[in-house]
Amino acid sequence: MSARIINGKEISDTIRREIREEVERLSGRGIRPGLVVILVGEDPASQVYVRNKAKACEDLGYHSEVVRLPADTTQDELLHLIAKYNEDPKINGILVQLPLPKHIAEKPVIDAISVDKDVDGFHPISVGNLMIGDDSLLPCTPAGVIELLKRTGNSPAGKHAVVVGRSNIVGKPVSMLLLRENATVTVCHSRTPDLPAVARQADILIVAVGVPKLVKRDWVKPGAVVIDVGINRLEDGKLAGDVDYEDVLETAGWITPVPGGVGPMTITMLMANTLKSCKRANGID
Ligand code: NAD
């Protein structure tokens, strides 16, 4: 039997409707979530991401600012701007679009963002809170993966989840979240021997590697839930995930397509984080 498709677009739309309702309730009290996105330089992919984030803010009725800085902006100038937004009460979320130009170091920039406004969830204190299970703003793509699982009735509790990839933005945080959700978690990476055999043990297989169509049907236990985080541009211009979707479709129980799976969830979770940060700033639980 063919796998059931996990429709990230539909789930994302549902969450955005929930967010919009809350934003309307808050506006009755004169409260409006605010997000600033800072882009340094002219990376074409980043330009698209920034535009999409601004559009999402507009659709949801957020206060939105986009700051486009020239590629030769200094690190100090960027740090000053972040300090300004840390103090700005209209702003609940500060997002610095990565990657930054080579002359600016990522770490001091991420560290400079107030933890309360760290809607990307990349600040070391946010990462630490995630690790020890304290309340924090969660990194968007991993949080989106957990929403996809829960909202399709695939609770990770008691399941064996295998995560392929150990990056700081996807693999590691999604592993921590799965653990928090009571899954038994195995984390694999480029030095894991016999990856297909490990992956085949998974009830839930999460793949975040960046190698197009790496995962074939012999990696997948029949009936497993397969979440493909990968977004890869092929030579013909089409997008492909890290999972060979066509090959795996008959074996998996559930699968996310690329595009239209994890992708749409990322910005939605950014919006959810900004709302959460706004409610916290106003003393609302
Ligand atoms: P990364 O390059 O930072 O990390 C890749 C990880 O995969 C590393 O831990 C590495 O050890 C592992 N790896 C590399 N080759 C491997 C192999 N052959 N076998 C097993 N493991 C291997 O990448 P990332 O930032 O985690 O992104 C991974 C993918 O997810 C990319 O395609 C990226 O575009 C995509 N992504 C999508 C979203 C989204 O919104 N859907 C967000 C972030 C990343």
Side-chain angles (χ1 to χ4, degrees):
M1 216 180 72
S2 196
R4 295 179 69 179
I5 311 303
I6 300 180
N7 187 332
K9 173 79 175 68
E10 224 169 76
I11 294 170
S12 164
D13 287 347
T14 303
I15 298 173
R16 288 197 194 194
R17 270 197 301 279
E18 295 165 6
I19 293 176
R20 200 171 294 116
E21 282 167 18
E22 269 211 83
V23 171
E24 276 162 20
R25 270 198 298 276
L26 288 176
S27 90
R29 302 169 61 171
I31 297 169
R32 191 178 183 205
L35 175 72
V36 62
V37 180
I38 303 170
L39 172 64
V40 187
E42 264 129 46
D43 179 66
S46 294
Q47 305 254 19
V48 176
Y49 297 143
V50 167
R51 225 176 298 132
N52 290 342
K53 286 165 188 168
K55 167 118 189 10
C57 282
E58 200 182 298
D59 291 346
L60 292 174
Y62 286 20
H63 169 75
S64 159
E65 295 185 28
V66 176
V67 184
R68 290 187 170 79
L69 299 172
D72 61 357
T73 301
T74 66
Q75 186 165 308
D76 271 354
E77 283 167 336
L78 181 56
L79 292 176
H80 275 109
L81 188 68
I82 292 170
K84 186 192 98 173
Y85 281 114
N86 279 342
E87 298 302 321
D88 185 340
K90 292 193 300 303
I91 295 298
N92 306 110
I94 301 171
L95 186 144
V96 178
Q97 186 66 48
L98 303 175
L100 289 165
K102 288 202 170 53
H103 66 278
I104 302 180
E106 236 169 56
K107 184 165 166 53
V109 170
I110 292 172
D111 290 2
I113 297 171
S114 156
V115 181
D116 296 335
K117 301 188 180 189
D118 175 36
V119 284
D120 246 345
F122 293 162
H123 192 287
I125 293 179
S126 305
V127 176
N129 282 333
L130 165 61
M131 179 89 182
I132 60 178
D134 267 7
D135 189 31
S136 64
L137 295 168
L138 300 175
C140 301
T141 302
V145 168
I146 300 296
E147 284 292 326
L148 289 180
L149 291 172
K150 286 186 169 175
R151 286 176 186 251
T152 51
N154 289 302
S155 163
K159 305 276 173 52
H160 184 189
V162 174
V163 178
V164 189
R166 57 171 162 182
S167 72
N168 286 335
I169 65 166
V170 188
K172 278 186 209 160
V174 86
S175 304
M176 279 302 137
L177 284 175
L178 287 161
L179 202 52
R180 192 195 261 197
E181 296 293 333
N182 300 310
T184 301
V185 184
T186 302
V187 187
C188 308
H189 45 80
S190 51
R191 309 274 289 269
T192 303
D194 200 359
L195 252 172
V198 183
R200 242 184 346 259
Q201 296 172 25
D203 303 310
I204 298 174
L205 179 61
I206 315 269
V207 191
V209 169
V211 177
K213 302 188 184 187
L214 176 74
V215 174
K216 306 288 181 194
R217 89 175 63 161
D218 65 326
W219 292 49
V220 177
K221 177 160 89 178
V225 182
V226 178
I227 305 284
D228 187 354
V229 182
I231 304 178
N232 308 288
R233 182 76 61 190
L234 302 178
E235 273 174 16
D236 62 6
K238 290 194 182 136
L239 287 183
D242 293 345
V243 175
D244 189 334
Y245 183 82
E246 301 299 333
D247 196 54
V248 164
L249 199 55
E250 296 297 318
T251 307
W254 294 79
I255 191 165
T256 55
V258 177
V262 176
M265 296 297 288
T266 299
I267 294 186
T268 296
M269 300 320 290
L270 172 70
M271 296 296 122
N273 269 351
T274 307
L275 175 63
K276 180 175 178 173
S277 161
C278 170
K279 286 166 71 181
R280 269 195 193 160
N282 287 280
I284 304 164
D285 262 337

